[in-house]
Amino acid sequence: MEIIYRKAKISDVEEIHQLVSYYAAKNLMLARSRSSLYEGIREFTVAEYNGRVIGAGSLHIIWSDLAEIRALAVRPAHIQKGIGRNLVNLFLKEARQLEIKRVFALTYQQEFFIRCGFKAIAKEELPHKVWKECVNCPLFPNCEENAVIINI
Ligand SMILES: CC(C)(COP(=O)(O)OP(=O)(O)OC[C@H]1O[C@@H](n2cnc3c(N)ncnc32)[C@H](O)[C@@H]1OP(=O)(O)O)[C@@H](O)C(=O)NCCC(=O)NCCS
């Protein structure tokens, strides 16, 4: 059976929610409500295996030249097999098609993104607009996430 990468559908929301909630409970990523997943479902791409979502993530546009990879997660049983990188590459392709020049992520998995071609930057270098989401986070302003960015 092969892994299928495709844009998410409404029927994927429950599995994406489960996946994100699993890692959010370990404080590895931000929790997402079902409501926000339904509203943002068009931003999501999933990796499907044997009829199940085993990986997911989204590309969120911030500004004319900037987008963010959000909610990227791969099921524990499937990590370290290149699925995260494949999803990142699909987001970079999507950004290129949209003529967006830079893609960033806020993450505890800096090394993974560096392996995907990103470089580390100071969070303060990101535009203020990025903080709109952060102010609603319980960890703000003491979050330990690192910023990584790639020019495409
Ligand atoms: C981070 C995550 C998405 C990586 O997905 P993955 O499918 O395991 O990653 P890949 O197999 O595509 O790895 C690509 C490369 O990064 C490396 N890598 C993967 N996870 C890594 C980690 N946590 N630390 C260091 N390197 C890592 C791999 O060894 C591989 O290296 P290579 O270039 O030598 O082949 C996955 O571990 C995950 O879901 N983590 C929990 C949720 C999370 O923290 N998401 C990030 C929020 S932005």
Side-chain angles (χ1 to χ4, degrees), residues 70-100:
R70 287 184 176 173
L72 178 69
V74 175
R75 276 192 197 280
H78 297 273
I79 58 168
Q80 299 287 343
K81 293 179 187 165
I83 297 166
R85 193 203 315 265
N86 288 342
L87 286 167
V88 165
N89 285 337
L90 286 169
F91 295 131
L92 299 183
K93 186 175 167 197
E94 205 175 336
R96 249 178 243 116
Q97 283 165 350
L98 287 160
E99 301 180 335
I100 291 172

PDB file of all heavy atoms in Angstrom, residues 70-100:
ATOM      1  N   ARG A  70       2.007  25.352   9.468  1.00  0.00           N
ATOM      2  CA  ARG A  70       1.380  25.186  10.782  1.00  0.00           C
ATOM      3  C   ARG A  70       0.886  23.759  10.958  1.00  0.00           C
ATOM      4  O   ARG A  70       0.551  23.092   9.972  1.00  0.00           O
ATOM      5  CB  ARG A  70       0.142  26.084  10.893  1.00  0.00           C
ATOM      6  CG  ARG A  70       0.462  27.534  11.053  1.00  0.00           C
ATOM      7  CD  ARG A  70      -0.836  28.291  11.237  1.00  0.00           C
ATOM      8  NE  ARG A  70      -0.569  29.696  11.490  1.00  0.00           N
ATOM      9  CZ  ARG A  70      -1.507  30.625  11.565  1.00  0.00           C
ATOM     10  NH1 ARG A  70      -2.771  30.280  11.417  1.00  0.00           N
ATOM     11  NH2 ARG A  70      -1.190  31.871  11.801  1.00  0.00           N
ATOM     12  N   ALA A  71       0.741  23.392  12.208  1.00  0.00           N
ATOM     13  CA  ALA A  71       0.084  22.128  12.572  1.00  0.00           C
ATOM     14  C   ALA A  71       0.634  20.922  11.809  1.00  0.00           C
ATOM     15  O   ALA A  71      -0.115  20.031  11.418  1.00  0.00           O
ATOM     16  CB  ALA A  71      -1.432  22.253  12.338  1.00  0.00           C
ATOM     17  N   LEU A  72       1.952  20.917  11.609  1.00  0.00           N
ATOM     18  CA  LEU A  72       2.566  19.786  10.909  1.00  0.00           C
ATOM     19  C   LEU A  72       2.775  18.637  11.896  1.00  0.00           C
ATOM     20  O   LEU A  72       3.424  18.805  12.924  1.00  0.00           O
ATOM     21  CB  LEU A  72       3.915  20.214  10.316  1.00  0.00           C
ATOM     22  CG  LEU A  72       4.684  19.111   9.586  1.00  0.00           C
ATOM     23  CD1 LEU A  72       3.969  18.722   8.294  1.00  0.00           C
ATOM     24  CD2 LEU A  72       6.106  19.547   9.286  1.00  0.00           C
ATOM     25  N   ALA A  73       2.243  17.483  11.579  1.00  0.00           N
ATOM     26  CA  ALA A  73       2.380  16.342  12.487  1.00  0.00           C
ATOM     27  C   ALA A  73       2.280  15.027  11.716  1.00  0.00           C
ATOM     28  O   ALA A  73       1.516  14.913  10.765  1.00  0.00           O
ATOM     29  CB  ALA A  73       1.288  16.393  13.558  1.00  0.00           C
ATOM     30  N   VAL A  74       3.073  14.080  12.167  1.00  0.00           N
ATOM     31  CA  VAL A  74       3.067  12.731  11.584  1.00  0.00           C
ATOM     32  C   VAL A  74       2.793  11.751  12.724  1.00  0.00           C
ATOM     33  O   VAL A  74       3.348  11.903  13.824  1.00  0.00           O
ATOM     34  CB  VAL A  74       4.436  12.422  10.922  1.00  0.00           C
ATOM     35  CG1 VAL A  74       4.500  10.988  10.421  1.00  0.00           C
ATOM     36  CG2 VAL A  74       4.703  13.405   9.774  1.00  0.00           C
ATOM     37  N   ARG A  75       1.945  10.786  12.476  1.00  0.00           N
ATOM     38  CA  ARG A  75       1.631   9.804  13.533  1.00  0.00           C
ATOM     39  C   ARG A  75       2.909   9.138  14.039  1.00  0.00           C
ATOM     40  O   ARG A  75       3.778   8.790  13.232  1.00  0.00           O
ATOM     41  CB  ARG A  75       0.708   8.710  12.985  1.00  0.00           C
ATOM     42  CG  ARG A  75      -0.738   9.089  13.008  1.00  0.00           C
ATOM     43  CD  ARG A  75      -1.643   7.895  12.740  1.00  0.00           C
ATOM     44  NE  ARG A  75      -2.960   8.368  12.380  1.00  0.00           N
ATOM     45  CZ  ARG A  75      -3.870   8.773  13.269  1.00  0.00           C
ATOM     46  NH1 ARG A  75      -3.610   8.720  14.558  1.00  0.00           N
ATOM     47  NH2 ARG A  75      -5.043   9.214  12.856  1.00  0.00           N
ATOM     48  N   PRO A  76       3.000   8.928  15.371  1.00  0.00           N
ATOM     49  CA  PRO A  76       4.215   8.350  15.951  1.00  0.00           C
ATOM     50  C   PRO A  76       4.690   7.078  15.229  1.00  0.00           C
ATOM     51  O   PRO A  76       5.888   6.888  15.036  1.00  0.00           O
ATOM     52  CB  PRO A  76       3.819   8.041  17.397  1.00  0.00           C
ATOM     53  CG  PRO A  76       2.665   8.932  17.684  1.00  0.00           C
ATOM     54  CD  PRO A  76       1.978   9.226  16.392  1.00  0.00           C
ATOM     55  N   ALA A  77       3.763   6.241  14.809  1.00  0.00           N
ATOM     56  CA  ALA A  77       4.157   4.972  14.170  1.00  0.00           C
ATOM     57  C   ALA A  77       4.786   5.185  12.793  1.00  0.00           C
ATOM     58  O   ALA A  77       5.353   4.254  12.221  1.00  0.00           O
ATOM     59  CB  ALA A  77       2.938   4.065  14.036  1.00  0.00           C
ATOM     60  N   HIS A  78       4.685   6.406  12.282  1.00  0.00           N
ATOM     61  CA  HIS A  78       5.155   6.648  10.912  1.00  0.00           C
ATOM     62  C   HIS A  78       6.239   7.714  10.816  1.00  0.00           C
ATOM     63  O   HIS A  78       6.570   8.159   9.719  1.00  0.00           O
ATOM     64  CB  HIS A  78       3.964   7.033  10.019  1.00  0.00           C
ATOM     65  CG  HIS A  78       2.951   5.951   9.884  1.00  0.00           C
ATOM     66  ND1 HIS A  78       3.032   4.965   8.930  1.00  0.00           N
ATOM     67  CD2 HIS A  78       1.848   5.671  10.623  1.00  0.00           C
ATOM     68  CE1 HIS A  78       2.018   4.137   9.057  1.00  0.00           C
ATOM     69  NE2 HIS A  78       1.281   4.547  10.088  1.00  0.00           N
ATOM     70  N   ILE A  79       6.772   8.174  11.958  1.00  0.00           N
ATOM     71  CA  ILE A  79       7.818   9.207  11.899  1.00  0.00           C
ATOM     72  C   ILE A  79       9.118   8.621  11.355  1.00  0.00           C
ATOM     73  O   ILE A  79       9.282   7.397  11.285  1.00  0.00           O
ATOM     74  CB  ILE A  79       8.056   9.896  13.278  1.00  0.00           C
ATOM     75  CG1 ILE A  79       8.437   8.873  14.327  1.00  0.00           C
ATOM     76  CG2 ILE A  79       6.865  10.739  13.696  1.00  0.00           C
ATOM     77  CD1 ILE A  79       8.966   9.515  15.611  1.00  0.00           C
ATOM     78  N   GLN A  80       9.989   9.531  10.937  1.00  0.00           N
ATOM     79  CA  GLN A  80      11.329   9.167  10.442  1.00  0.00           C
ATOM     80  C   GLN A  80      11.288   8.334   9.160  1.00  0.00           C
ATOM     81  O   GLN A  80      12.171   7.513   8.918  1.00  0.00           O
ATOM     82  CB  GLN A  80      12.129   8.407  11.526  1.00  0.00           C
ATOM     83  CG  GLN A  80      12.374   9.214  12.795  1.00  0.00           C
ATOM     84  CD  GLN A  80      13.426  10.314  12.615  1.00  0.00           C
ATOM     85  OE1 GLN A  80      14.203  10.313  11.662  1.00  0.00           O
ATOM     86  NE2 GLN A  80      13.419  11.290  13.506  1.00  0.00           N
ATOM     87  N   LYS A  81      10.225   8.532   8.368  1.00  0.00           N
ATOM     88  CA  LYS A  81      10.147   7.791   7.089  1.00  0.00           C
ATOM     89  C   LYS A  81      10.039   8.769   5.926  1.00  0.00           C
ATOM     90  O   LYS A  81       9.628   8.383   4.833  1.00  0.00           O
ATOM     91  CB  LYS A  81       8.914   6.874   7.086  1.00  0.00           C
ATOM     92  CG  LYS A  81       8.977   5.734   8.066  1.00  0.00           C
ATOM     93  CD  LYS A  81       7.680   4.930   7.979  1.00  0.00           C
ATOM     94  CE  LYS A  81       7.591   3.873   9.046  1.00  0.00           C
ATOM     95  NZ  LYS A  81       6.213   3.364   9.184  1.00  0.00           N
ATOM     96  N   GLY A  82      10.268  10.054   6.186  1.00  0.00           N
ATOM     97  CA  GLY A  82      10.251  11.044   5.109  1.00  0.00           C
ATOM     98  C   GLY A  82       8.893  11.692   4.876  1.00  0.00           C
ATOM     99  O   GLY A  82       8.752  12.515   3.966  1.00  0.00           O
ATOM    100  N   ILE A  83       7.887  11.348   5.685  1.00  0.00           N
ATOM    101  CA  ILE A  83       6.539  11.889   5.457  1.00  0.00           C
ATOM    102  C   ILE A  83       6.487  13.384   5.790  1.00  0.00           C
ATOM    103  O   ILE A  83       5.919  14.181   5.036  1.00  0.00           O
ATOM    104  CB  ILE A  83       5.491  11.094   6.267  1.00  0.00           C
ATOM    105  CG1 ILE A  83       5.474   9.651   5.766  1.00  0.00           C
ATOM    106  CG2 ILE A  83       4.098  11.726   6.158  1.00  0.00           C
ATOM    107  CD1 ILE A  83       4.749   8.684   6.673  1.00  0.00           C
ATOM    108  N   GLY A  84       7.127  13.766   6.903  1.00  0.00           N
ATOM    109  CA  GLY A  84       7.171  15.188   7.270  1.00  0.00           C
ATOM    110  C   GLY A  84       7.839  16.005   6.180  1.00  0.00           C
ATOM    111  O   GLY A  84       7.338  17.046   5.764  1.00  0.00           O
ATOM    112  N   ARG A  85       8.967  15.512   5.668  1.00  0.00           N
ATOM    113  CA  ARG A  85       9.677  16.235   4.613  1.00  0.00           C
ATOM    114  C   ARG A  85       8.816  16.330   3.343  1.00  0.00           C
ATOM    115  O   ARG A  85       8.772  17.357   2.689  1.00  0.00           O
ATOM    116  CB  ARG A  85      11.010  15.547   4.295  1.00  0.00           C
ATOM    117  CG  ARG A  85      11.914  16.437   3.440  1.00  0.00           C
ATOM    118  CD  ARG A  85      12.956  15.675   2.651  1.00  0.00           C
ATOM    119  NE  ARG A  85      13.642  14.658   3.389  1.00  0.00           N
ATOM    120  CZ  ARG A  85      14.819  14.828   4.013  1.00  0.00           C
ATOM    121  NH1 ARG A  85      15.429  15.977   3.969  1.00  0.00           N
ATOM    122  NH2 ARG A  85      15.373  13.824   4.653  1.00  0.00           N
ATOM    123  N   ASN A  86       8.151  15.235   2.991  1.00  0.00           N
ATOM    124  CA  ASN A  86       7.295  15.269   1.794  1.00  0.00           C
ATOM    125  C   ASN A  86       6.194  16.313   1.946  1.00  0.00           C
ATOM    126  O   ASN A  86       5.880  17.034   0.994  1.00  0.00           O
ATOM    127  CB  ASN A  86       6.672  13.894   1.536  1.00  0.00           C
ATOM    128  CG  ASN A  86       7.698  12.905   1.025  1.00  0.00           C
ATOM    129  OD1 ASN A  86       8.762  13.294   0.547  1.00  0.00           O
ATOM    130  ND2 ASN A  86       7.396  11.617   1.129  1.00  0.00           N
ATOM    131  N   LEU A  87       5.615  16.407   3.139  1.00  0.00           N
ATOM    132  CA  LEU A  87       4.562  17.417   3.368  1.00  0.00           C
ATOM    133  C   LEU A  87       5.156  18.822   3.247  1.00  0.00           C
ATOM    134  O   LEU A  87       4.584  19.691   2.584  1.00  0.00           O
ATOM    135  CB  LEU A  87       3.907  17.204   4.738  1.00  0.00           C
ATOM    136  CG  LEU A  87       2.951  16.009   4.830  1.00  0.00           C
ATOM    137  CD1 LEU A  87       2.616  15.685   6.285  1.00  0.00           C
ATOM    138  CD2 LEU A  87       1.657  16.265   4.043  1.00  0.00           C
ATOM    139  N   VAL A  88       6.318  19.025   3.860  1.00  0.00           N
ATOM    140  CA  VAL A  88       6.975  20.343   3.765  1.00  0.00           C
ATOM    141  C   VAL A  88       7.235  20.695   2.295  1.00  0.00           C
ATOM    142  O   VAL A  88       6.948  21.804   1.848  1.00  0.00           O
ATOM    143  CB  VAL A  88       8.297  20.363   4.581  1.00  0.00           C
ATOM    144  CG1 VAL A  88       9.162  21.567   4.216  1.00  0.00           C
ATOM    145  CG2 VAL A  88       7.979  20.358   6.073  1.00  0.00           C
ATOM    146  N   ASN A  89       7.746  19.730   1.527  1.00  0.00           N
ATOM    147  CA  ASN A  89       8.029  20.006   0.111  1.00  0.00           C
ATOM    148  C   ASN A  89       6.762  20.367  -0.658  1.00  0.00           C
ATOM    149  O   ASN A  89       6.791  21.216  -1.546  1.00  0.00           O
ATOM    150  CB  ASN A  89       8.741  18.816  -0.543  1.00  0.00           C
ATOM    151  CG  ASN A  89      10.190  18.750  -0.107  1.00  0.00           C
ATOM    152  OD1 ASN A  89      10.775  19.765   0.304  1.00  0.00           O
ATOM    153  ND2 ASN A  89      10.791  17.572  -0.165  1.00  0.00           N
ATOM    154  N   LEU A  90       5.645  19.734  -0.289  1.00  0.00           N
ATOM    155  CA  LEU A  90       4.373  20.085  -0.953  1.00  0.00           C
ATOM    156  C   LEU A  90       3.953  21.511  -0.592  1.00  0.00           C
ATOM    157  O   LEU A  90       3.436  22.250  -1.437  1.00  0.00           O
ATOM    158  CB  LEU A  90       3.283  19.083  -0.572  1.00  0.00           C
ATOM    159  CG  LEU A  90       3.428  17.721  -1.252  1.00  0.00           C
ATOM    160  CD1 LEU A  90       2.478  16.709  -0.628  1.00  0.00           C
ATOM    161  CD2 LEU A  90       3.163  17.835  -2.757  1.00  0.00           C
ATOM    162  N   PHE A  91       4.201  21.925   0.666  1.00  0.00           N
ATOM    163  CA  PHE A  91       3.859  23.300   1.052  1.00  0.00           C
ATOM    164  C   PHE A  91       4.756  24.305   0.322  1.00  0.00           C
ATOM    165  O   PHE A  91       4.293  25.371  -0.074  1.00  0.00           O
ATOM    166  CB  PHE A  91       3.962  23.489   2.568  1.00  0.00           C
ATOM    167  CG  PHE A  91       2.968  22.661   3.320  1.00  0.00           C
ATOM    168  CD1 PHE A  91       3.344  21.880   4.391  1.00  0.00           C
ATOM    169  CD2 PHE A  91       1.630  22.647   2.936  1.00  0.00           C
ATOM    170  CE1 PHE A  91       2.431  21.101   5.074  1.00  0.00           C
ATOM    171  CE2 PHE A  91       0.698  21.870   3.614  1.00  0.00           C
ATOM    172  CZ  PHE A  91       1.103  21.097   4.673  1.00  0.00           C
ATOM    173  N   LEU A  92       6.021  23.946   0.131  1.00  0.00           N
ATOM    174  CA  LEU A  92       6.930  24.863  -0.578  1.00  0.00           C
ATOM    175  C   LEU A  92       6.501  24.985  -2.046  1.00  0.00           C
ATOM    176  O   LEU A  92       6.532  26.065  -2.628  1.00  0.00           O
ATOM    177  CB  LEU A  92       8.379  24.383  -0.461  1.00  0.00           C
ATOM    178  CG  LEU A  92       8.933  24.308   0.967  1.00  0.00           C
ATOM    179  CD1 LEU A  92      10.401  23.880   0.966  1.00  0.00           C
ATOM    180  CD2 LEU A  92       8.774  25.647   1.694  1.00  0.00           C
ATOM    181  N   LYS A  93       6.048  23.860  -2.610  1.00  0.00           N
ATOM    182  CA  LYS A  93       5.558  23.882  -3.995  1.00  0.00           C
ATOM    183  C   LYS A  93       4.317  24.777  -4.093  1.00  0.00           C
ATOM    184  O   LYS A  93       4.176  25.589  -5.011  1.00  0.00           O
ATOM    185  CB  LYS A  93       5.225  22.443  -4.421  1.00  0.00           C
ATOM    186  CG  LYS A  93       4.834  22.294  -5.865  1.00  0.00           C
ATOM    187  CD  LYS A  93       4.650  20.825  -6.188  1.00  0.00           C
ATOM    188  CE  LYS A  93       3.958  20.678  -7.543  1.00  0.00           C
ATOM    189  NZ  LYS A  93       3.415  19.344  -7.722  1.00  0.00           N
ATOM    190  N   GLU A  94       3.429  24.618  -3.122  1.00  0.00           N
ATOM    191  CA  GLU A  94       2.196  25.409  -3.089  1.00  0.00           C
ATOM    192  C   GLU A  94       2.541  26.901  -2.965  1.00  0.00           C
ATOM    193  O   GLU A  94       1.960  27.740  -3.662  1.00  0.00           O
ATOM    194  CB  GLU A  94       1.372  24.961  -1.877  1.00  0.00           C
ATOM    195  CG  GLU A  94      -0.106  25.203  -1.990  1.00  0.00           C
ATOM    196  CD  GLU A  94      -0.855  24.607  -0.781  1.00  0.00           C
ATOM    197  OE1 GLU A  94      -0.351  23.658  -0.131  1.00  0.00           O
ATOM    198  OE2 GLU A  94      -1.935  25.115  -0.479  1.00  0.00           O
ATOM    199  N   ALA A  95       3.514  27.212  -2.100  1.00  0.00           N
ATOM    200  CA  ALA A  95       3.919  28.612  -1.916  1.00  0.00           C
ATOM    201  C   ALA A  95       4.489  29.172  -3.213  1.00  0.00           C
ATOM    202  O   ALA A  95       4.169  30.297  -3.619  1.00  0.00           O
ATOM    203  CB  ALA A  95       4.947  28.719  -0.792  1.00  0.00           C
ATOM    204  N   ARG A  96       5.313  28.375  -3.886  1.00  0.00           N
ATOM    205  CA  ARG A  96       5.896  28.808  -5.165  1.00  0.00           C
ATOM    206  C   ARG A  96       4.794  29.101  -6.177  1.00  0.00           C
ATOM    207  O   ARG A  96       4.826  30.107  -6.869  1.00  0.00           O
ATOM    208  CB  ARG A  96       6.807  27.710  -5.731  1.00  0.00           C
ATOM    209  CG  ARG A  96       8.261  28.099  -5.706  1.00  0.00           C
ATOM    210  CD  ARG A  96       9.146  26.969  -6.227  1.00  0.00           C
ATOM    211  NE  ARG A  96      10.022  26.520  -5.161  1.00  0.00           N
ATOM    212  CZ  ARG A  96      10.018  25.317  -4.619  1.00  0.00           C
ATOM    213  NH1 ARG A  96       9.198  24.379  -5.053  1.00  0.00           N
ATOM    214  NH2 ARG A  96      10.831  25.024  -3.649  1.00  0.00           N
ATOM    215  N   GLN A  97       3.803  28.225  -6.236  1.00  0.00           N
ATOM    216  CA  GLN A  97       2.693  28.425  -7.186  1.00  0.00           C
ATOM    217  C   GLN A  97       1.932  29.711  -6.876  1.00  0.00           C
ATOM    218  O   GLN A  97       1.402  30.366  -7.768  1.00  0.00           O
ATOM    219  CB  GLN A  97       1.742  27.230  -7.155  1.00  0.00           C
ATOM    220  CG  GLN A  97       2.297  26.042  -7.912  1.00  0.00           C
ATOM    221  CD  GLN A  97       1.556  24.740  -7.605  1.00  0.00           C
ATOM    222  OE1 GLN A  97       0.742  24.668  -6.688  1.00  0.00           O
ATOM    223  NE2 GLN A  97       1.839  23.707  -8.365  1.00  0.00           N
ATOM    224  N   LEU A  98       1.896  30.068  -5.586  1.00  0.00           N
ATOM    225  CA  LEU A  98       1.194  31.297  -5.177  1.00  0.00           C
ATOM    226  C   LEU A  98       2.091  32.528  -5.307  1.00  0.00           C
ATOM    227  O   LEU A  98       1.677  33.639  -4.982  1.00  0.00           O
ATOM    228  CB  LEU A  98       0.736  31.155  -3.715  1.00  0.00           C
ATOM    229  CG  LEU A  98      -0.438  30.213  -3.473  1.00  0.00           C
ATOM    230  CD1 LEU A  98      -0.477  29.770  -2.018  1.00  0.00           C
ATOM    231  CD2 LEU A  98      -1.745  30.888  -3.842  1.00  0.00           C
ATOM    232  N   GLU A  99       3.354  32.306  -5.707  1.00  0.00           N
ATOM    233  CA  GLU A  99       4.374  33.361  -5.839  1.00  0.00           C
ATOM    234  C   GLU A  99       4.731  33.968  -4.481  1.00  0.00           C
ATOM    235  O   GLU A  99       5.001  35.164  -4.374  1.00  0.00           O
ATOM    236  CB  GLU A  99       3.936  34.439  -6.835  1.00  0.00           C
ATOM    237  CG  GLU A  99       3.676  33.872  -8.224  1.00  0.00           C
ATOM    238  CD  GLU A  99       3.230  34.909  -9.230  1.00  0.00           C
ATOM    239  OE1 GLU A  99       2.682  35.935  -8.825  1.00  0.00           O
ATOM    240  OE2 GLU A  99       3.462  34.673 -10.429  1.00  0.00           O
ATOM    241  N   ILE A 100       4.670  33.151  -3.455  1.00  0.00           N
ATOM    242  CA  ILE A 100       5.099  33.597  -2.120  1.00  0.00           C
ATOM    243  C   ILE A 100       6.578  33.264  -1.971  1.00  0.00           C
ATOM    244  O   ILE A 100       6.997  32.145  -2.244  1.00  0.00           O
ATOM    245  CB  ILE A 100       4.244  32.915  -1.027  1.00  0.00           C
ATOM    246  CG1 ILE A 100       2.827  33.488  -1.121  1.00  0.00           C
ATOM    247  CG2 ILE A 100       4.837  33.127   0.349  1.00  0.00           C
ATOM    248  CD1 ILE A 100       1.821  32.788  -0.259  1.00  0.00           C
TER     249      ILE A 100
END
